[in-house]
Amino acid sequence: MKFLKLFLVFQLFQSYSWAYEVKTEVVKTVDGFALPITILLPEGEGPFPVVFNVHGGGWNGGTTTQVPEASVGDFAATITDETQVIHVGIGYRCKLQNGTFEKAMQDIDAAFKWFSKRAKLYQADMKRVGFTGGSAGTPLSSVYMQTVKDCKLYIGINGVYDLPKRDPKKSSFPDKKTAHLYKIDTEETMRNASAVYHLKPNKIPYTLLVHGTYDHTIDIKQSQNFQKEIEKKEGKCELLSFEKIPHGLLRTYYPHVYETTVNRITELYVSELGVDRKAIDLVNKKLAIELEEYRDLKTLSKDKILGKWSCPKKWLQDALEVTFTTDNIVSIKVNDQPIVNTAYHMENEQVIAKVGNRKYAFRMQKNGVLYYYRTVKQAEGRKVMFEKKTEN
């Protein structure tokens, strides 16, 4: 399996066929930038519920001439067919397009209205609407969804909902430069960009929040406190909290997180958006099959790990290479420079190597990908994954 495939499979499963249709359109052009919209249309006859996604990315994506692509979200491709829900990705101006929070909100509003006017064309039921957002997409989506009368469900993935109370020692996003560029650097603008200050009693859609305890980009307290404030306003909210999982947690290479979350989302599609209950079983079975290759081997033999393994530089700041030898020595190179040469030993499903006070515990997924979890605080819990190098 190609290494890149490992990272893209969470959006479009490589081994699974699908019936939904993908449409990409332009909502409008503003300040010279075309605003894209991506639509996943399930097969069959509607009307179908609609879930709109506002992507994350730290407001960094795109170029000086093009806004980032309109992502439908990490799980949309997995469940569009089974749930018969239309998934819509919204593109908006980020920092490289001279975007601001206010401009982004205008772009989201334009996309929502554009789609609403074409609801009949897409067989969309605009009385059954949901919104999702991840990371930098959460303040935008969680504020905007409160303006949509028929929004029945909100899903926030590792989100920030109270900017004035963000602890910069525990959350790196947004930093001062980003806040300044996106014009949310005063008490008033931060409050306007924070969903917690817009909550209205008895008008809050059912809310699902998902967060990892090792998230140092956005502290989990943002989700915990948002849940409390929603419940104070008589809203229904649940938090899926995952121990020792970092930011960007909804990935197939965290199979337990992905399976638990997507199954719960499907259940909420049924209860809040009126999806047929059979979708629950269909999604559950699909996930069990598609995630199997990302689960760990229960036993790991020495012959499987011998040789050279590489983690391309594009996934880390530095290119990493690990070599296991037959005489129980592991060497690690960073950017082709040797930094570690130490002994290793096998412990059931792990390969253990100690360097000073640091312990590397390598595991292998069933698809043959070798990995370990980082321990440096700002990257704590992140998987570092390696593919086997073939000798020329």
Side-chain angles (χ1 to χ4, degrees):
M1 173 183 290
K2 296 292 185 181
F3 197 81
L4 177 60
K5 185 176 176 182
L6 173 68
F7 288 85
L8 296 179
V9 72
F10 72 90
Q11 287 185 318
L12 295 174
F13 284 120
Q14 302 298 311
S15 61
Y16 201 94
S17 61
W18 50 81
Y20 63 77
E21 181 181 2
V22 182
K23 289 186 174 292
T24 55
E25 304 287 351
V26 173
V27 171
K28 68 175 184 178
T29 299
V30 57
D31 293 339
F33 297 103
L35 300 179
I37 190 168
T38 303
I39 307 163
L40 300 193
L41 291 171
E43 188 178 48
E45 294 187 8
F48 306 114
V50 190
V51 173
F52 295 86
N53 181 67
V54 182
H55 68 78
W59 303 324
N60 290 313
T63 67
T64 55
T65 60
Q66 186 176 358
V67 305
E69 66 178 43
S71 168
V72 293
D74 297 333
F75 59 87
T78 306
I79 64 175
T80 293
D81 286 334
E82 288 73 17
T83 60
Q84 293 283 279
V85 170
I86 299 172
H87 289 92
V88 179
I90 296 174
Y92 60 92
R93 285 168 287 178
C94 293
K95 291 184 293 184
L96 282 176
Q97 301 87 48
N98 300 312
T100 64
F101 193 90
E102 183 178 359
K103 289 180 180 179
M105 290 293 285
Q106 293 169 359
D107 297 346
I108 293 167
D109 184 59
F112 182 79
K113 290 177 178 176
W114 181 95
F115 186 88
S116 297
K117 289 179 180 179
R118 294 160 179 79
K120 187 174 181 180
L121 172 65
Y122 295 119
Q123 300 187 73
D125 183 352
M126 297 306 290
K127 295 292 184 181
R128 295 187 290 160
V129 170
F131 269 83
T132 68
S135 191
T138 54
L140 292 162
S141 58
S142 60
V143 171
Y144 187 80
M145 64 89 174
Q146 295 185 64
T147 69
V148 178
K149 179 182 176 182
D150 293 306
C151 182
K152 303 292 194 297
L153 176 65
Y154 178 71
I155 301 165
I157 312 295
N158 39 246
V160 55
Y161 311 99
D162 191 344
L163 288 164
K165 293 183 179 178
R166 182 188 72 88
D167 185 348
K169 294 181 180 179
K170 295 182 178 180
S171 299
S172 62
F173 175 83
D175 58 23
K176 287 185 178 181
K177 182 178 180 180
T178 296
H180 176 71
L181 290 172
Y182 230 53
K183 298 190 183 303
I184 50 169
D185 53 354
T186 67
E187 180 72 18
E188 180 182 3
T189 55
M190 284 191 291
R191 288 175 69 93
N192 287 338
S194 301
V196 71
Y197 302 105
H198 298 270
L199 297 173
K200 297 179 178 63
N202 302 314
K203 293 186 179 180
I204 306 169
Y206 195 104
T207 299
L208 173 67
L209 306 176
V210 185
H211 223 122
T213 62
Y214 275 5
D215 193 331
H216 300 294
T217 303
I218 299 174
D219 185 29
I220 192 173
K221 287 185 178 179
Q222 283 284 325
S223 289
Q224 292 169 338
N225 292 338
F226 191 40
Q227 180 186 28
K228 291 177 183 177
E229 293 302 317
I230 288 175
E231 291 172 346
K232 284 181 183 178
K233 294 288 178 32
E234 301 178 9
K236 294 181 179 180
C237 179
E238 64 181 281
L239 169 60
L240 291 180
S241 172
F242 293 97
E243 292 294 321
K244 298 183 179 181
I245 297 295
H247 195 74
L249 77 175
L250 199 56
R251 302 289 191 267
T252 52
Y253 48 81
Y254 296 116
H256 169 65
V257 175
Y258 195 87
E259 184 173 43
T260 301
T261 302
V262 176
N263 275 327
R264 183 58 186 143
I265 288 171
T266 304
E267 291 170 354
L268 291 175
Y269 278 14
V270 171
S271 63
E272 308 306 315
L273 299 181
V275 166
D276 193 315
R277 289 192 62 83
K278 68 182 182 181
I280 295 174
D281 188 52
L282 291 172
V283 170
N284 183 271
K285 289 179 178 178
K286 180 178 182 180
L287 288 171
I289 295 170
E290 295 296 338
L291 294 176
E292 183 64 17
E293 64 176 303
Y294 300 98
R295 304 189 196 281
D296 289 351
L297 290 173
K298 293 184 179 180
T299 58
L300 181 56
S301 59
K302 185 175 178 178
D303 63 291
K304 289 184 178 294
I305 58 106
L306 292 176
K308 293 182 179 180
W309 300 79
S310 64
C311 177
K313 187 174 180 179
K314 66 190 305 179
W315 304 121
L316 290 173
Q317 291 182 340
D318 302 294
L320 206 57
E321 182 180 278
V322 175
T323 302
F324 295 92
T325 67
T326 55
D327 54 351
N328 291 356
I329 297 296
V330 57
S331 61
I332 300 177
K333 291 182 179 180
V334 177
N335 298 329
D336 291 326
Q337 298 299 313
I339 62 165
V340 171
N341 195 54
T342 189
Y344 71 86
H345 66 275
M346 311 296 296
E347 286 186 9
N348 296 323
E349 77 283 4
Q350 298 182 98
V351 183
I352 305 298
K354 291 185 178 181
V355 182
N357 294 326
R358 180 176 294 183
K359 183 175 80 169
Y360 292 85
F362 292 88
R363 298 175 175 87
M364 184 178 287
Q365 296 175 169
K366 292 182 178 180
N367 59 9
V369 170
L370 192 70
Y371 75 90
Y372 71 86
Y373 289 108
R374 298 189 70 183
T375 56
V376 178
K377 187 172 182 180
Q378 290 303 314
E380 198 172 22
R382 291 189 183 277
K383 274 186 171 182
V384 179
M385 291 178 279
F386 300 82
E387 65 178 345
K388 189 73 173 285
K389 292 187 70 173
T390 55
E391 299 296 337
N392 294 329

